[in-house]
Amino acid sequence: MTASHSPLFLDVWLEYNRRRWKLRPERVSLGQAGGTPRLDAVLYRGRGGRIEQPPRNVYLPVAFETAPDTGAHRRYTQWTELASRLGEQMAADGVRNTINLVPEIGDIRPWTWHGLLAGVKYTFLQDLPYDLAQASQSVRSRIKKAQKAGYTCRRSDSVADVSACLTETQERSGFDFDFPMDQLDEAQRFVGTEHFRCYTAYAPSGEPAASYVVLHNPGGWALAWIISTRTKHLPSGATQQLHHYIAQDLTDAGAAGFDLVGAGAESISAAKAGWGPRLVPYYFLQQYGARRMGAYVYRGVQEMSGRFGATAALRRAARALPWQRETPTRPT
């Protein structure tokens, strides 16, 4: 199972999150110690003891393993028993904000059985080794354009070059990744360059044009943690050239595949889809509560108002709800 080899299970990643976000990581292993069936997870706890997902962490890692020759019914009962125990623990301890589970978890019922709210988001998974024939004609043309213009790619491990690309991307998109250069440097030094891999495409002038930061562990799915491009190099094809270079490098490094991390925004999804990856769902969890339920009620009233022309009085009543300012994370 590739999930158990996720970089999100690495000791250095857990310790980095503990120091950076002041959250206490707790490894959970249910089932047969050192054997199968077994369910492994990492839970992060805040000061109050509730379970949180650290900022800038894509998922909360959960991995289920069983013997390869296990029958379908036996596998089902093993999974539901162990996952239900984990779901019960998480519901009892409490969940703060939103928890994203890894795409390998295809059955969310053991968590909802214990009263947690669940929803679905999407991501793109690119299988490795990668055949460029799977990409769209547009992607292939952009790669050729960048190569012809003299752009080059390498794993430079330069956080300064990554930061230059990220800064312009944040300014252009209005999205704040909240990772200035000193914090990127700290993360790379702590996690290590083999797991925290910085890639950059360079213009013929030598200036950085596009960059990726990838979280990697051999045998697991690599995660596209940061993708950024400097504004004037957007039409150059440098981003596509760099992505293709990274897919080849990750294959050589033993990655099981490449998670492009997210398929929410329409324009970004269209760009990622050009590589021909698999669109897959993943689940998120939230805790029931007065404010959380109130937010769902408010959103439902708003949708009814738009669909059925609800009265002005009903709309005013919805806006008057004391909790209406908190809107749950929408599936993306």
Side-chain angles (χ1 to χ4, degrees):
M1 295 285 288
T2 58
S4 61
H5 295 286
S6 167
L8 301 179
F9 274 114
L10 288 168
D11 288 336
V12 287
W13 184 249
L14 272 61
E15 180 61 16
Y16 170 73
N17 280 304
R18 185 187 70 80
R19 296 190 181 197
R20 175 70 178 85
W21 306 112
K22 311 304 181 188
L23 297 173
R24 177 169 55 87
E26 175 186 318
R27 288 189 182 272
V28 176
S29 186
L30 304 172
Q32 186 67 39
T36 59
R38 190 176 74 255
L39 185 71
D40 294 317
V42 176
L43 305 179
Y44 290 91
R45 299 184 186 276
R47 290 183 178 180
R50 286 197 297 171
I51 299 164
E52 304 181 29
Q53 181 172 314
R56 308 298 175 253
N57 278 236
V58 184
Y59 312 111
L60 202 71
V62 178
F64 172 69
E65 296 189 40
T66 189
D69 58 351
T70 303
H73 178 258
R74 182 60 177 157
R75 179 185 179 87
Y76 174 83
T77 57
Q78 290 173 350
W79 159 254
T80 53
E81 177 188 350
L82 296 178
S84 183
R85 288 169 58 187
L86 180 61
E88 182 179 21
Q89 178 180 342
M90 292 176 67
D93 294 343
V95 168
R96 185 174 183 269
N97 297 328
T98 298
I99 301 291
N100 297 325
L101 298 181
V102 292
E104 288 86 353
I105 302 302
D107 178 12
I108 199 64
R109 298 170 307 152
W111 283 266
T112 61
W113 289 340
H114 294 284
L116 292 173
L117 285 164
V120 65
K121 300 180 184 180
Y122 294 89
T123 189
F124 284 114
L125 298 183
Q126 187 173 11
D127 295 311
L128 297 178
Y130 180 70
D131 183 356
L132 189 57
Q134 298 175 28
S136 68
Q137 180 60 47
S138 174
V139 166
R140 296 197 298 270
S141 296
R142 283 177 172 268
I143 293 173
K144 291 178 181 178
K145 180 180 179 181
Q147 291 172 336
K148 186 176 181 179
Y151 285 79
T152 58
C153 301
R154 66 177 183 266
R155 184 179 149 209
S156 66
D157 292 324
S158 169
V159 295
D161 291 346
V162 170
S163 184
C165 298
L166 180 59
T167 297
E168 288 197 19
T169 299
Q170 291 178 142
E171 292 172 351
R172 183 175 66 246
S173 65
F175 175 75
D176 186 4
F177 198 77
D178 192 28
F179 252 88
M181 189 173 72
D182 61 332
Q183 293 181 10
L184 282 171
D185 183 63
E186 178 188 1
Q188 185 190 59
R189 285 188 290 105
F190 195 90
V191 178
T193 56
E194 282 303 304
H195 301 304
F196 192 95
R197 302 163 83 96
C198 297
Y199 298 89
T200 304
Y202 293 93
S205 64
E207 72 172 355
S211 66
Y212 276 54
V213 176
V214 177
L215 299 181
H216 163 70
N217 191 40
W221 283 84
L223 303 171
W225 199 56
I226 293 177
I227 303 175
S228 57
T229 306
R230 301 185 83 169
T231 303
K232 71 177 182 180
H233 297 286
L234 282 171
S236 69
T239 307
Q240 290 75 21
Q241 181 189 24
L242 180 60
H243 185 106
H244 186 224
Y245 174 88
I246 292 169
Q248 295 174 314
D249 186 71
L250 290 174
T251 299
D252 295 339
F258 194 18
D259 187 337
L260 306 190
V261 181
E266 185 176 359
S267 60
I268 296 176
S269 295
K272 292 179 179 180
W275 292 99
R278 293 182 286 121
L279 179 67
V280 299
Y282 65 92
Y283 293 105
F284 68 86
L285 299 170
Q286 294 173 334
Q287 188 96 46
Y288 278 100
R291 292 180 63 86
R292 185 70 66 190
M293 292 306 298
Y296 274 100
V297 170
Y298 173 71
R299 192 172 70 180
V301 169
Q302 292 293 83
E303 291 175 354
M304 289 175 60
S305 175
R307 185 177 300 178
F308 302 112
T311 66
L314 182 57
R315 290 195 296 271
R316 285 196 301 270
R319 288 195 296 269
L321 289 170
W323 45 65
Q324 63 92 7
R325 294 181 180 177
E326 181 187 42
T327 302
T329 302
R330 291 178 180 269
T332 58

